Amino acid sequence: MPLSEFEKRQLESIGHGLAAEDPGFAALLGRDAFVLCLRNRFRRGLLLVAAGVCVLVLGLVGRVPWLGIAGFAIMIGAGYWAVKDFRWSSGTRDREVTQMEGNNE
């Protein structure tokens, strides 16, 4: 449910008051801090995926099956950890559907 204009103005005034009173805390709660955290997590996840690939290849070259399985598990876990908090946008979120799709009556 979208906010009304009054609620948007109130929220904006609260945000400006917080930023004026304590800029450090406002920056900590801001969207930029969350995006930075996600970006760092994604980079670390990519590094761990690369490490998992190295362990997997090492297991294949050394003919040690459990090492290859461990490398694969590291890859899967790191990939999940890297993208688990992403918000994937879809173009159909704000779309209104007046009738069931496929029903042309």
Side-chain angles (χ1 to χ4, degrees):
M1 180 174 182
L3 296 175
S4 68
E5 290 299 320
F6 175 73
E7 292 170 331
K8 288 178 185 177
R9 286 192 305 270
Q10 288 293 104
L11 187 60
E12 190 73 25
S13 68
I14 291 171
H16 287 302
L18 177 64
E21 184 178 318
D22 191 358
F25 184 65
L28 181 66
L29 293 178
R31 180 169 168 77
D32 294 337
F34 183 69
V35 170
L36 182 63
C37 177
L38 283 179
R39 188 177 304 141
N40 286 338
R41 179 184 293 176
F42 185 72
R43 288 179 184 161
R44 289 182 190 135
L46 284 180
L47 286 174
L48 287 173
V49 167
V53 169
C54 292
V55 171
L56 175 67
V57 170
L58 185 65
L60 289 174
V61 170
R63 296 185 186 221
V64 183
W66 61 269
L67 193 59
I69 292 170
F72 184 75
I74 291 170
M75 286 172 34
I76 297 299
Y80 170 73
W81 181 72
V83 299
K84 71 178 181 175
D85 288 332
F86 279 178
R87 302 285 187 251
W88 303 104
S89 63
S90 63
T92 61
R93 180 180 298 170
D94 296 329
R95 183 177 73 153
E96 282 190 38
V97 177
T98 56
Q99 65 182 10
M100 293 189 60
E101 292 184 18
N103 187 3
N104 295 329
E105 296 177 12

